[in-house]
Amino acid sequence: MDMVNIKINGVSYDVPADATILEAARTAGIDIPTLCFLKDINQIGACRMCMVEVKGARSLVAACVYPVNDGMEVFTNSPKVQQSRRMTLELLLSVHERKCLTCDRSGNCELQKLCNDMGIEEEERFAGDLPQNITDVSTPYLERNNAKCILCRRCVAACQNQHVSVIGANNRGFDTQIGCAFEAKLNDVSCVACGQCIVSCPTGALREKDNTQEVIDAINDPEKIVIVQTAPAVRAALGEEFGLPIGTNVEGKMAAALRRLGFDKVFDTDFGADMTIMEEATEFIHRVQNGGTLPMITSCSPGWVKFCEHYYPDLLDNLSTCKSPQNMTGALIKTWYAQKEGIDPSKIVSVSVMPCTAKKFEIKRDDENAAGLPDVDISLTTRELAKMIKKAQLNFNRLPDEKFDDSMGVSTGAAVIFGATGGVMEAALRTAADVLTGEPQDSIDYEEVRGTEGIKEAVYKVAGMDVKVAVASGLSNANKILEKIRAGEADYHFVEIMCCPGGCVNGGGQPIVSSTERSFTDVKAARAKALYDQDKAMPLRKSHENPVLKKCYEEFLGEPGSHKAHEILHTTYVKRGY
Amino acid sequence: MQKRISNLPFHDTPEQAGKLDEVIAGLKGQEGAVMPALHQAQEIYGYLPLEVQQKIAKGLNVPLEEVYGVSTFYSQFSLTPKGRNHISVCLGTACYVKGADKVLDRIQQKLGINPEECTEDGAFSLTACRCIGACGLAPVMTVNEDVYGRLVPEDVDGILAKYME
């Protein structure tokens, strides 16, 4: 790598020649404040927060986009720089709804932090009118309040990065607002509900639709039996809300917290993930052996499913008909479990905790109601669960480690890796290999489909057949593969697509990691590692070895892919326009 | 001011549609094609309604939101149709201090439309413009190519009557 020498605040550093001033400074341990900057997603130099002084330059320059050159002298802390930062913040505050005490993002708002860091004392120095027509609460999964928007465009870039681009900057000057074309509401455009805009937002302008009160009300209703399930990726991130390092697996404390919150049963979506593998592997084998539509594409990720319905309705036959693990778990809670326990399913309130905002959309889909009732009644994000834990004043970090409840709390290592890109593929291959050869295979680590790369391809020999697979995470990457399939240029047999880059661990419902932290930490990889470590340590690592799942098939569903299994665990899709 | 969006029904003729198809075909695949496409589409239709922007977005393979963002950023793009008679009331400084706002109020009242709107019968559209360089005649308005100066609100009815068939 070519290096150049620059001086930052009088100290000399060797830095890569292609670095920006911001990258060089952060590597050297000197922070420069930013707002619109979001590594790999938004680097547009728009907010003017990162202005620094460069010797010889006519004016201050934006460090996030300004390249270094040999001999450059940078000052990140001069009076001129300090004054510029303060002025930028004061101007942002002039059009900002300053309701920090009651704001969802209080405590992890990047604007709030900078105001504190820079010692802004007079928040109303330039106070003026607030923009009008500012909220969008049309969807069942997210809310926008532009009175808290600082027009950094990180959400716009995140949406573009997902190949969706339904939001952008409209109008001009003081009237500029982030919204949809022709001022449509988000629910009326082809938004896929992924929530990547929310986790990109530095302030409280975007948040999920909060359903926590409905859950609390259900728990407090003596007539209701409230059963919760948690997705694999939640345990890899929930701890961040309580100050634990990124990548800490808090499965035990989470189970303990859920019990103390008053849930009657604490189940694991991993059980449904194992179920998904049984059904999906069976469906895949059936398609291969009977000339069904190939490649078969996974259907666990509701953001991806919605994307397919909007943008690739011609490929809906390629989608597996399997419900997602969330809805398989929900469906079995209200059918098999209710029957077994003699519970009236209409008394059950089925709650899920998901790393995802699209799950709030998924539970309202048609054909997701095996017992004639919604498979899942309320879906919370990881962040909402953290809120409930805080509201109940549980000291999360001091809770004991507990286990999920028996029955649908039992799962395998194959299920826990569902939370990372490549995990579903690997889990399916583990089972397909055993089923097709008729004997347990020793090699179960499918390294080629692991890792945070956007597109991964591999060919595996399964029972004498070459199975060509592809794994994509993030819809831009998915789009590349889908274009190939649409053009008939792809000869894959099986494709895994996850809506969010890196898979569910990086979902739109996960704890929000600041832009600065994201500059240093590969959040996707750190959270995924927690799941792969858990998989490695588990006694059972193949879905078909799950003893409770076997029992469920024996006493209730019959064979995987049976008529009953289809009624309860499979679903249908609709063509949506865009 | 936020751009006004017309809620009048969109009328398209085969000639107009054909011209827009040609424009899009000529710009397809080019970098920065949205601006010239919008420009020429406005020449064809007089304004840029949803249907036209959708066609541009699909044709150029860019998100509709991007097209809309551009069309609302630049002031020369209009999202409302022009009437058969187009009224501009100058709200530049000189006209304003001489009471142009009251003249504008009167027109709005009379026609039942706001600036950047068009009457339902398509007879009049209205805009509030910046200085047109006739400050000596302040307050001033134009109807099509005709200029009317030294106005008082009471003049409005008579002027509009001339253009009502």
Side-chain angles (χ1 to χ4, degrees), chain A residues 132-133 160 164-173 175 177 179-183 578, chain B residues 1-3 5 48-50 53 58 63-66 68-70 72-75 79:
Chain A
Q132 297 298 306
N133 307 324
Q160 198 172 20
V164 172
S165 286
V166 290
I167 50 170
N170 298 332
N171 287 291
R172 166 176 198 157
D175 296 307
Q177 289 216 20
C180 305
F182 284 82
E183 312 305 324
Y578 83 95
Chain B
M1 200 166 58
Q2 266 197 359
K3 278 236 166 125
I5 302 168
L48 298 166
L50 171 66
Q53 295 202 23
K58 278 235 157 91
L64 176 63
E65 165 47 40
E66 190 184 320
Y68 177 75
V70 173
T72 54
F73 183 87
Y74 292 103
S75 55
L79 275 61

Side-chain angles (χ1 to χ4, degrees), chain A residues 433 437 441 446 459-468:
Chain A
T437 56
Q441 304 293 302
Y446 294 83
V459 181
Y460 293 110
K461 224 175 190 64
V462 181
M465 178 193 164
D466 281 333
V467 178
K468 192 166 181 196

Side-chain angles (χ1 to χ4, degrees), chain B residues 5-70:
Chain B
I5 302 168
S6 168
N7 50 15
L8 298 174
F10 171 60
H11 297 291
D12 199 3
T13 66
E15 291 81 45
Q16 287 173 317
K19 272 192 198 165
L20 183 57
D21 286 337
E22 257 173 58
V23 167
I24 292 169
L27 289 166
K28 206 169 180 136
Q30 279 181 32
E31 190 86 356
V34 172
M35 281 275 275
L38 285 172
H39 220 85
Q40 293 176 57
Q42 183 157 303
E43 271 170 31
I44 297 168
Y45 291 97
Y47 75 123
L48 298 166
L50 171 66
E51 293 81 356
V52 170
Q53 295 202 23
Q54 270 173 335
K55 199 165 170 182
I56 292 172
K58 278 235 157 91
L60 296 178
N61 198 21
V62 293
L64 176 63
E65 165 47 40
E66 190 184 320
V67 178
Y68 177 75
V70 173

Side-chain angles (χ1 to χ4, degrees), chain B residues 108-131:
Chain B
Q108 285 179 230
Q109 229 173 50
K110 191 77 189 157
L111 297 177
I113 55 170
N114 292 313
E116 311 312 321
E117 286 182 358
C118 181
T119 56
E120 242 169 85
D121 61 2
F124 290 97
S125 53
L126 176 63
T127 187
C129 67
R130 298 289 162 200
C131 183

